[in-house]
Amino acid sequence: EFHELEALHAPQRAALQFLRAHYRWGLTGTPLLKAPRHVVAMASLLRIDAAGPVADPPAASRGTWSGDTDRVVIENCSRFLDACVRSNTSKEIPEVGLVEHLVVVKQTPQERALYL
């Protein structure tokens, strides 16, 4: 759940942001998109600056953020969602085929203990 990474503490988020890769992907079924600060946080994990030069950075713990009402930030967030976020429920994009595979796995007692 990619969107849950937003809740990580700053040092953990920074470590993720500085990972080097040719491509970055985030998968989630239920992204939090209630305010621009949530989109900015998600974009930042992909090293995309959707906030621009807004004075104070967004924080999940704060109730308000000046970027939530900034026209440029809202427009940047909208562009990010349009360009970088795919929804499998969209009528404009061909449906992704689903193939189900069942693999029987016999767990050791120690592995079963992890799921108690």
Side-chain angles (χ1 to χ4, degrees):
E1 292 292 327
F2 175 71
H3 68 279
E4 292 179 6
L5 298 175
E6 177 186 355
L8 292 176
H9 297 291
Q12 294 166 319
R13 286 177 51 86
L16 285 174
Q17 289 172 330
F18 290 113
L19 288 175
R20 291 180 171 231
H22 290 289
Y23 302 100
R24 291 172 176 254
W25 293 80
L27 299 175
T28 181
T30 54
L32 185 60
L33 302 173
K34 292 182 181 177
R37 73 174 148 252
H38 301 123
V39 178
V40 167
M42 185 169 45
S44 73
L45 291 169
L46 298 171
R47 298 184 86 174
I48 298 172
D49 180 15
V54 175
D56 56 334
S61 60
R62 286 203 301 249
T64 61
W65 175 55
S66 62
D68 283 342
T69 56
D70 185 278
R71 180 186 56 79
V72 174
V73 173
I74 293 170
E75 189 174 312
N76 287 346
C77 289
S78 178
R79 283 190 192 134
F80 167 75
L81 291 172
D82 289 344
C84 300
V85 177
R86 176 182 174 165
S87 171
N88 286 339
T89 59
S90 174
K91 303 265 189 253
E92 299 172 8
I93 300 172
E95 187 175 321
V96 174
L98 177 65
V99 178
E100 189 172 322
H101 298 276
L102 297 177
V103 178
V104 179
V105 177
K106 184 169 175 86
Q107 296 177 329
T108 66
Q110 293 86 359
E111 291 170 328
R112 283 196 302 274
L114 292 173
Y115 295 101
L116 293 179

